[in-house]
Amino acid sequence: MAVRHRLIKKPPEQVWEVLSDVERYGDWVVGTAQAEPDEGQWPRLGAALRYQIRIGPLALRNRTVVRRSEPPTVLELEADSGPLGTARIAMELRPWGEHTLIILDEHPLRGVGGAVHNGLLDVVQQVRSRAMLGRLARLCEQDEDPVPTASGPPRPLRT
């Protein structure tokens, strides 16, 4: 089981905006390409996305369904990787002062993924989850107002 957390320097409503944007899904979910709506309005309960996951030269067609959606604090998904099974991905967005503490809990749910689940796969999942949260934080924080510097172009404002 992979549980990770990250502080994002934006309020939960702004983090939720990124999570709600289908076009940005592939920007923060590691390995995902060509995400597109499949059913319903993302991220409402029952809505689904279709996308590809690339693992080296292999490309898998996957589908993710929203199983729980409580804007802007809870988003739970079930990712279906066909013959590999499904995974539960739960995200909790907690206000943390002016910022958001996001807690990501991802683990195998059904099928082969759950049957072969072991410590080594947990380590791989921890690395993937850390990268995912890093990407999400960068997406959320990238629109910070630039601060001009005397020696060059503007740099992002740090709060």
Side-chain angles (χ1 to χ4, degrees):
M1 179 163 80
V3 178
R4 302 241 6 133
H5 64 275
R6 171 109 186 202
L7 185 67
I8 298 178
K9 296 176 183 175
K10 291 290 180 179
E13 294 78 15
Q14 286 182 297
V15 176
W16 187 266
E17 283 180 31
V18 173
L19 295 175
S20 298
D21 188 342
V22 173
E23 293 181 13
R24 289 179 149 181
Y25 188 82
D27 294 336
W28 63 271
V29 177
V30 174
T32 301
Q34 301 173 347
E36 57 191 36
D38 182 47
E39 188 176 313
Q41 186 175 352
W42 189 265
R44 291 188 180 162
L45 186 64
L49 296 177
R50 287 207 176 274
Y51 51 91
Q52 283 187 345
I53 293 282
R54 296 204 179 274
I55 304 169
L58 190 63
L60 303 170
R61 293 290 297 166
N62 288 11
R63 183 172 190 259
T64 293
V65 178
V66 177
R67 296 296 185 203
R68 184 174 169 210
S69 181
E70 298 175 13
T73 59
V74 176
L75 182 61
E76 292 190 24
L77 310 171
E78 185 173 351
D80 186 346
S81 297
L84 297 179
T86 68
R88 174 185 174 263
I89 301 120
M91 291 169 274
E92 181 182 352
L93 287 70
R94 293 184 186 171
W96 202 261
E98 302 173 343
H99 307 307
T100 302
L101 178 64
I102 185 166
I103 301 164
L104 174 68
D105 175 359
E106 183 172 357
H107 62 271
L109 191 61
R110 303 176 195 172
V112 175
V116 298
H117 186 233
N118 59 43
L120 179 59
L121 291 176
D122 278 344
V123 170
V124 171
Q125 189 58 50
Q126 286 284 347
V127 171
R128 181 176 182 270
S129 294
R130 182 178 183 172
M132 238 170 37
L133 289 174
R135 289 178 173 197
L136 180 61
R138 280 189 297 280
L139 278 173
C140 293
E141 296 169 355
Q142 74 182 359
D143 65 346
E144 294 179 353
D145 296 327
V147 174
T149 64
S151 61
R155 62 173 191 226
L157 176 66
R158 299 287 177 217
T159 55

